[in-house]
């Protein structure tokens, strides 16, 4: 329920936008409306709507004795509201949200060019809540933190712009709904800063960058570090979205979030990481140093972001972390005999370096040669085993160019870094120097891994 004051002369489309402005609906803010709406005036046999099919039905009525249909931007409300004292408004013909707009009185001392919310109560539903039953269920789940769907529905509701009733926030938005010029000569102001007015509501000043209650800044920066290590380069907004999805109780609005990222000093913990701000992205310092940020972004284009669980994602906050997959363990098993305890790099260090090199050269060849440079092989049989396992590791390693996906996860979709195909069991992996390289590159062995 809300009581508002508005300047006269507005169209039905403007009234629709104002109603959207005092609720949690979004159609008035988008180029394409989320849902249809209509105003019904049975006394006039008139339907004012943005539903295209209604216009077509009216056009086909040759006799002209049916329901009259008008577009909301083509007709003003004053005549009808003053004549009947109320209007019927329906938004989202599926959820069927129905409003009754009543005219309390007409005044001649309202001098603002935009509407003002004088008072209100209750929380308005978000888009696609499922009508009254769905909204009641949403409120029930949000009120019960032990409900199994609580965190999911909390995140969904925030993504749908569900916000508690806040008169100051609503009035701030309504100032952009211009209906006429504000008559500043009739308002007590200083340089257009209102001092007093009958319809001016003085609200407590709040910081627009207020963080949610219980916000954990250390955890947020841990997400930045983890996402940068997993994706190589990732938009700031994507990191915020991931953080919000996995921590809905600390849901960050974009304003406060950008205030943290761009308005504060880079935390000490981040200064020691590989994550750096690069315009509207976070990027791995290696990519920045090598000038490869744009190249990786081009490879990423069109691919979905790999979305691990919170527990798995935060492991990537460790700059040295490599996922211990079956492929990792298989490669480690065949390499371990060549890395005695006193080896300066160690088998895990060698695999980690191999994994890092694959980010820059997913074609495998140079990375594999570097891996072999750390060990002394005794024969062809041993090399065959290592090639087999290295190819498996490469196909299952999470790549920056794939937005965190391994080639094996998205191979065949026409957008993955290509998978390598090892020889079948029992086939010869290493032949002469002029034979095809077993890594699958298509080059001769002497020109590839046999250099």
């Amino acid at each position: 329920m809300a009581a508002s004051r508005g300047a006269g002369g507005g169209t039905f489309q403007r009234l629709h936008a104002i109603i959207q402005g005092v609720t949690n609906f979004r159609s008035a803010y988008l180029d394409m409306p989320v849902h249809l709406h209509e105003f019904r005036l049975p006394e006039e046999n008139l339907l004012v709507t943005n539903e295209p099919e209604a216009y077509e039905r009216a056009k086909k009525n040759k006799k002209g004795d049916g329901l009259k249909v008008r577009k909301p931007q083509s007709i003003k409300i004053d005549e009808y509201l003053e004549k009947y004292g109320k209007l019927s408004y329906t938004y989202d013909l599926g959820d069927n949200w129905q409003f009754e707009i009543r005219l309390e009185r007409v005044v001649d001392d309202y001098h603002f060019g935009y509407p003002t919310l004088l008072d209100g109560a209750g929380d308005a539903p978000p888009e696609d809540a499922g009508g009254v039953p769905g909204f009641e269920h949403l409120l029930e789940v949000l009120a019960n933190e032990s409900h199994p769907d609580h965190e999911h529905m909390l995140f969904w509701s925030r993504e749908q712009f569900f916000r508690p009733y806040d008169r100051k926030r609503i009035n701030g938005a309504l100032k952009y709904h211009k209906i006429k010029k504000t008559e500043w000569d009739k308002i007590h102001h200083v340089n257009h800063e209102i001092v007093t007015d009958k319809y001016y509501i003085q609200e407590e000043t709040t910081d627009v960058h207020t963080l949610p209650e219980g916000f954990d800044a250390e955890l947020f920066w841990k997400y930045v570090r983890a996402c940068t290590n997993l994706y190589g380069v990732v938009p700031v907004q994507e990191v915020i979205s991931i953080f919000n999805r996995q921590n809905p109780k600390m849901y960050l609005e974009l304003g406060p979030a950008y205030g943290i990222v761009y308005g504060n000093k880079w935390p000490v913990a981040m200064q020691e990481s590989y994550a750096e701000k690069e315009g509207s992205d976070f990027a791995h310092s290696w990519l920045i140093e090598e000038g490869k940020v744009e190249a990786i972004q081009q490879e990423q284009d069109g691919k979905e972001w790999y979305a691990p669980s919170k527990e798995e994602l935060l492991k990537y906050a460790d700059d040295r972390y490599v996922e211990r997959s079956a492929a990792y363990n298989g490669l480690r098993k065949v390499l371990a005999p060549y890395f005695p305890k006193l080896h300066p790099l160690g088998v895990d260090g060698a695999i980690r370096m191999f994994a890092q090199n694959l980010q820059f050269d997913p074609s495998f060849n140079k990375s594999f040669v570097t891996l072999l440079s750390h060990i002394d092989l005794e024969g062809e049989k041993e090399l065959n085993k290592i090639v087999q396992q290295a190819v498996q590791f490469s196909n299952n390693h999470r790549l920056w160019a794939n937005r965190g996906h391994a080639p094996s996860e998205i191979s065949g979709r026409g957008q993955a870094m290509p998978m390598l195909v090892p020889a079948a069991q029992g086939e010869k992996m290493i032949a002469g120097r002029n034979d095809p390289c077993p890594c699958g590159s298509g080059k001769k062995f002497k020109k590839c891994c046999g250099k």
Side-chain angles (χ1 to χ4, degrees), residues 5 410 436:
R5 183 73 63 200
I410 55 178

Side-chain angles (χ1 to χ4, degrees), residues 2 4 18-24 29 115-122 124 163-177 203:
S4 63
I18 291 170
I19 296 171
Q20 298 265 307
V22 299
T23 62
N24 285 314
Y29 301 95
T116 298
L117 178 66
L118 301 180
D119 201 2
R163 304 292 185 267
Y165 170 74
D166 182 341
R167 186 173 62 181
K168 180 178 180 180
R169 172 180 59 81
I170 293 171
N171 277 328
L174 289 178
K175 289 182 178 180
Y176 294 96
H177 292 272
E203 305 277 11

Side-chain angles (χ1 to χ4, degrees), residues 115-267:
T116 298
L117 178 66
L118 301 180
D119 201 2
D123 297 333
E127 296 281 4
D128 301 321
V132 173
F135 185 45
E136 288 177 343
H137 175 68
L138 172 65
L139 295 177
E140 179 183 333
V141 172
L142 295 183
N144 181 7
E145 293 191 6
S146 62
H147 193 286
D149 293 332
H150 176 78
E151 289 209 353
H152 167 71
M153 294 300 288
L154 179 59
F155 172 72
W156 178 86
S157 68
R158 299 306 298 271
E159 289 288 287
Q160 292 292 98
F161 295 93
F162 176 56
R163 304 292 185 267
Y165 170 74
D166 182 341
R167 186 173 62 181
K168 180 178 180 180
R169 172 180 59 81
I170 293 171
N171 277 328
L174 289 178
K175 289 182 178 180
Y176 294 96
H177 292 272
K178 305 292 185 184
I179 298 174
K180 65 173 188 177
K181 287 186 177 181
T182 295
E183 300 172 272
W184 289 107
D185 59 321
K186 299 177 181 179
I187 298 171
H188 183 196
H189 70 96
V190 176
N191 294 327
H192 295 172
E193 289 290 334
I194 302 168
V195 179
T196 59
D197 186 87
K198 181 178 180 180
Y199 300 106
Y200 173 63
I201 300 173
Q202 182 70 44
E203 305 277 11
E204 287 186 19
T205 302
T206 56
D207 185 357
V208 294
H209 295 309
T210 300
L211 296 172
E213 185 178 353
F215 175 71
D216 186 341
E218 184 177 346
L219 179 63
F220 174 78
W221 288 113
K222 195 173 183 180
Y223 268 85
V224 172
R225 192 166 184 165
C227 289
T228 304
N229 286 336
L230 175 59
Y231 303 124
V233 55
V234 54
V236 170
Q237 191 164 341
E238 183 64 27
V239 176
I240 296 168
S241 177
I242 293 170
F243 177 84
N244 286 339
R245 185 163 54 249
Q246 296 188 349
N247 305 276
K249 293 180 181 179
M250 292 186 276
Y251 192 98
L252 271 175
E253 302 283 356
L254 286 182
Y258 284 140
I260 296 170
V261 174
Y262 296 107
N264 296 336
K265 184 179 179 181
W266 199 242

Side-chain angles (χ1 to χ4, degrees), residues 419-436:
M419 285 181 61
L420 302 172
V421 183
Q425 186 68 31
E427 288 187 10
K428 185 177 181 181
M429 290 289 294
I430 302 297
R433 287 174 52 76
N434 290 316
D435 288 338

